Amino acid sequence: MNTSAFPKKLLLIDATTMTVGKMRLPWAPYHDERAGIKLHVALWAETVQPLNVMETIGSRHDRPVSEHLEHPDYIMVMDRAYEKLERLDRYKTDKQSFVIRLRDFEDREIRVVTDLMQVTPEQIAQIYKAH
């Protein structure tokens, strides 16, 4: 992806959970008979290299952990697990650029919220697609 058209570099934030039987990781409860760990990753889109990685137990919610992965020099790109009005207000106050998917309950349309008013809707779609 050509990221030179964007005002800042992209930082993709997401998490993945790895599960095993609960006897293998008794300290990491997840669901029922499963245990798990979750890796929260801030990935620099340009090089596909991690800028930061944090490990938690699988049941830990993504949103609070992601606050430790944020970086003001990047456009933060996140999915709907990270969307919260208080966070968006803080980003606006802190002048943190973002593209975050909103929760959609009615249809399969993807809706995002952003502060990037100087880029085209096509570029916003391209930024989210990088996620």
Side-chain angles (χ1 to χ4, degrees), residues 27-124:
W27 51 268
Y30 185 57
H31 287 296
D32 299 324
E33 295 299 312
R34 307 295 293 166
I37 61 167
K38 189 178 284 190
L39 292 179
H40 307 265
V41 180
L43 192 69
W44 185 23
E46 193 170 48
T47 63
V48 195
Q49 295 292 315
L51 183 67
N52 197 350
V53 177
M54 294 182 67
E55 176 188 333
T56 66
I57 61 171
S59 59
R60 181 88 189 267
H61 195 280
D62 299 349
R63 192 180 303 130
V65 177
S66 70
E67 292 178 5
H68 300 286
L69 302 174
E70 297 172 357
H71 198 291
D73 295 339
Y74 295 88
I75 299 171
M76 309 299 296
V77 185
M78 298 178 248
D79 69 16
R80 60 185 172 237
Y82 301 96
E83 171 257 329
K84 189 172 182 184
L85 290 178
E86 292 84 3
R87 170 178 280 192
L88 300 177
D89 289 342
R90 180 173 52 82
Y91 282 172
K92 190 69 175 160
T93 301
D94 295 346
K95 296 181 178 19
Q96 171 68 65
S97 296
F98 59 90
V99 173
I100 301 175
R101 183 176 177 179
L102 296 174
R103 293 172 200 228
D104 303 312
F105 298 105
E106 296 106 30
D107 54 36
R108 299 183 74 70
E109 185 175 286
I110 294 176
R111 297 177 185 180
V112 297
V113 62
T114 184
D115 70 322
L116 301 174
M117 299 299 135
Q118 71 278 22
V119 300
T120 67
E122 291 79 14
Q123 288 174 311
I124 297 297

